[in-house]
Amino acid sequence: GDSVTQMEGPVTLSEEAFLTINCTYTATGYPSLFWYVQYPGEGLQLLLKATKADDKGSNKGFEATYRKETTSFHLEKGSVQVSDSAVYFCALTLILNNAGNMLTFGGGTRLMVKP
Amino acid sequence: KAGVTQTPRYLIKTRGQQVTLSCSPISGHRSVSWYQQTPGQGLQFLFEYFSETQRNKGNFPGRFSGRQFSNSRSEMNVSTLELGDSALYLCASSLGLASSGANVLTFGAGSRLTVL
């Protein structure tokens, strides 16, 4: 079945450090890929997405490129802030035959940024 | 525009009881999906409703059920609660149409259920 694997956390960085969170996937079809972020006590917020190979999703300084050849969608940010501390989830979805969709999530990576 | 609203935000039940959770989607969204989030199993898909019909279902026992009303609001029900049902239940809405490309899900803040 479809699956998403992301690096386990927690990832602890100092402010202004470079961030990479690895994400790889296995899918039977051609998925769309997402990064969601969850702040304490809240639901999930879409951070960025990519729908086809070589697409780069970007938002709030975060970027991820859809790499079909390596089945990866690694999240990067050049300079993290304390406010980026959260749990990050990589996810995929396939548009099903009945036009439904459901997300398959990775296990989440907790990021802690220290001042 | 208003986001996805879930009620109640927190609730405590005892084993054997049942619970109903509610989700109001973004206006115009016809698809509502439910997810269970636990520390051990992570985020798992429960089911998706579109135009009052269950369109997809995850791998959960029959104690977990749901429905969707004509105004797209959705409820999920868990009967005969077990300790392992303690979780954050997240609802997400989307347009739900294949023609809209990669359907982006917008999540609510969740309902945190504790089973004692």
Side-chain angles (χ1 to χ4, degrees):
Chain A
D2 302 331
S3 65
V4 177
T5 302
Q6 58 183 108
M7 59 191 291
E8 291 196 21
V11 173
T12 304
L13 296 172
S14 297
E15 209 165 21
E16 300 184 3
F18 184 85
L19 168 72
T20 299
I21 300 178
N22 291 337
C23 170
T24 57
Y25 68 90
T26 302
T28 53
Y30 200 159
S32 295
L33 303 173
F34 304 83
W35 277 99
Y36 279 85
V37 58
Q38 186 175 35
Y39 298 99
E42 299 184 13
L44 301 174
Q45 298 177 24
L46 177 67
L47 185 57
L48 52 85
K49 67 179 175 75
T51 59
K52 61 183 187 297
D54 300 325
D55 264 3
K56 177 185 283 188
S58 62
N59 186 27
K60 300 180 181 179
F62 290 90
E63 292 183 340
T65 301
Y66 190 143
R67 300 289 188 198
K68 192 168 185 289
E69 64 277 10
T70 55
T71 61
S72 65
F73 193 54
H74 305 321
L75 181 68
E76 296 181 337
K77 187 176 185 183
S79 176
V80 294
Q81 305 300 312
V82 173
S83 58
D84 294 327
S85 298
V87 181
Y88 292 80
F89 292 92
C90 184
L92 67 80
T93 189
L94 290 160
I95 302 297
L96 304 176
N97 290 334
N98 62 2
N101 66 83
M102 58 185 184
L103 288 171
T104 299
F105 286 93
T109 302
R110 181 176 299 279
L111 170 65
M112 300 171 59
V113 181
K114 297 183 176 181
Chain B
K1 57 183 175 181
V4 178
T5 303
Q6 292 189 244
T7 57
R9 289 293 311 278
Y10 302 91
L11 66 166
I12 300 173
K13 294 286 186 178
T14 57
R15 280 179 299 174
Q17 287 187 311
Q18 72 167 13
V19 66
T20 299
L21 309 177
S22 179
C23 173
S24 294
I26 290 174
S27 178
H29 283 191
R30 295 166 62 188
S31 168
V32 173
S33 304
W34 290 88
Y35 290 80
Q36 182 196 62
Q37 185 177 23
T38 61
Q41 299 299 316
L43 281 153
Q44 295 185 288
F45 173 76
L46 280 156
F47 30 65
E48 178 201 8
Y49 286 86
F50 180 80
S51 292
E52 304 179 64
T53 300
Q54 187 180 87
R55 188 158 68 170
N56 292 292
K57 188 177 188 302
N59 189 27
F60 277 81
R63 299 186 297 108
F64 292 81
S65 63
R67 59 178 175 168
Q68 186 179 34
F69 302 94
S70 58
N71 62 358
S72 293
R73 189 177 72 84
S74 176
E75 290 181 346
M76 68 163 282
N77 183 277
V78 188
S79 62
T80 319
L81 284 166
E82 302 176 358
L83 295 178
D85 297 332
S86 294
L88 180 67
Y89 290 89
L90 293 166
C91 165
S93 74
S94 74
L95 292 170
L97 302 173
S99 60
S100 58
N103 263 300
V104 174
L105 301 188
T106 302
F107 284 82
S111 293
R112 183 165 296 281
L113 170 65
T114 301
V115 181
L116 302 177

